[in-house]
Amino acid sequence: AQSVTQLDSHVSVSEGTPVLLRCNYSSSYSPSLFWYVQHPNKGLQLLLKYTSAATLVKGINGFEAEFKKSETSFHLTKPSAHMSDAAEYFCVVSDLSGTYKYIFGTGTRLKVLA
Amino acid sequence: NAGVTQTPKFRVLKTGQSMTLLCAQDMNHEYMYWYRQDPGMGLRLIHYSVGEGTTAKGEVPDGYNVSRLKKQNFLLGLESAAPSQTSVYFCASSYLGLSVLGTGELFFGEGSRLTVL
């Protein structure tokens, strides 16, 4: 069965410092992995996705993530945090097992300090 | 391009009342999903559909029913609302449920905030 674990429920960084949001997954098949961002009282927006092409994936707003099969990880990074990055971030996994389902992590709330 | 549209955006119900949430997508997607979001629990799948006329249960289906009579619409019904169904509901659709290219991403609506008193 597929699952996703977001290792930190809250992360605080200072503006201009790097961001690291951690995600580990479990999947019996080759997974597709996604990061979504949700700003307060808004819907979810796709940041980036991995679907078995390049292991380093670049997304919107300067975010990127690296797929590491040996570590079953898909951590989200950004070199320099901006105040507008404050939001909740979700790691999502889906796989080719034919279930058509997407499994969500419980989310990481990112706080950016001035 | 409207994408995924949910109506209504807000609703307050009394225990035992019924209601229907409507999700409409204009991207010709085959796959549609209803999730609920509760604090600290991420998004949990209620029901989903892999095509017109088909539905399937997700991880928290009890107390909900769905219908997909038209490809572009996916309705979520609460027959007898309970306070435990107070939540934010998200509809999503995707264009590649299963493919050798991997799975396509989900496109989300803005959410429907439901309060059951």
Side-chain angles (χ1 to χ4, degrees), chain A residues 32 36 38 41 49 96 100 102, chain B residues 33 37 94 103-106:
Chain A
S32 294
Y36 283 84
Q38 184 182 30
N41 300 313
K49 67 177 181 180
L96 300 181
Y100 308 104
Y102 299 75
Chain B
Y33 305 80
Q37 183 178 29
S94 72
T103 309
E105 68 264 33
L106 287 166

Side-chain angles (χ1 to χ4, degrees), chain B residues 24 26 30 32 39 48 51 54 58 61 75 88-89 92-93 96 114 116-117:
Chain B
D26 61 2
E30 288 291 338
M32 296 187 73
Y48 64 103
T54 72
L75 279 64
V88 181
Y89 293 85
S93 68
L96 281 174
L114 174 65
V116 183
L117 302 175

Side-chain angles (χ1 to χ4, degrees), chain A residues 57-98:
Chain A
V57 182
K58 294 189 183 298
I60 61 172
N61 300 333
F63 285 94
E64 63 181 38
E66 186 171 7
F67 173 72
K68 292 187 176 181
K69 186 174 181 179
S70 60
E71 299 176 11
T72 61
S73 69
F74 190 58
H75 300 335
L76 182 70
T77 61
K78 183 174 180 179
S80 177
H82 191 273
M83 296 298 289
S84 61
D85 294 328
E88 188 148 25
Y89 292 79
F90 293 95
C91 182
V92 183
V93 65
S94 183
D95 64 32
L96 300 181
S97 64

Side-chain angles (χ1 to χ4, degrees), chain A residues 28-53:
Chain A
S28 303
Y29 299 85
S30 298
S32 294
L33 293 155
F34 310 85
W35 275 100
Y36 283 84
V37 60
Q38 184 182 30
H39 289 93
N41 300 313
K42 295 291 186 184
L44 281 80
Q45 180 186 16
L46 180 71
L47 275 178
L48 49 80
K49 67 177 181 180
Y50 166 79
T51 55
S52 76

Side-chain angles (χ1 to χ4, degrees), chain B residues 1-115:
Chain B
N1 189 350
V4 179
T5 304
Q6 294 180 228
T7 53
K9 290 184 169 48
F10 300 93
R11 184 73 187 269
V12 178
L13 289 177
K14 294 180 180 179
T15 297
Q17 287 185 318
S18 63
M19 75 159 296
T20 299
L21 297 175
L22 170 64
C23 176
Q25 53 95 2
D26 61 2
M27 297 172 283
N28 201 36
H29 288 172
E30 288 291 338
Y31 307 94
M32 296 187 73
Y33 305 80
W34 275 107
Y35 292 90
R36 59 178 288 172
Q37 183 178 29
D38 303 290
M41 303 188 76
L43 274 74
R44 293 181 292 169
L45 182 64
I46 305 172
H47 286 280
Y48 64 103
S49 168
V50 301
E52 182 179 316
T54 72
T55 63
K57 293 180 180 180
E59 52 180 318
V60 288
D62 293 343
Y64 305 95
N65 56 75
V66 287
S67 64
R68 183 100 180 268
L69 299 179
K70 294 183 179 180
K71 186 177 182 179
Q72 64 267 32
N73 295 336
F74 194 30
L75 279 64
L76 177 71
L78 285 72
E79 290 185 347
S80 180
S84 60
Q85 295 177 303
T86 294
S87 187
V88 181
Y89 293 85
F90 285 97
C91 177
S93 68
S94 72
Y95 62 94
L96 281 174
L98 178 63
S99 163
V100 293
L101 298 176
T103 309
E105 68 264 33
L106 287 166
F107 292 79
F108 282 89
E110 289 285 299
S112 298
R113 186 174 296 274
L114 174 65
T115 301

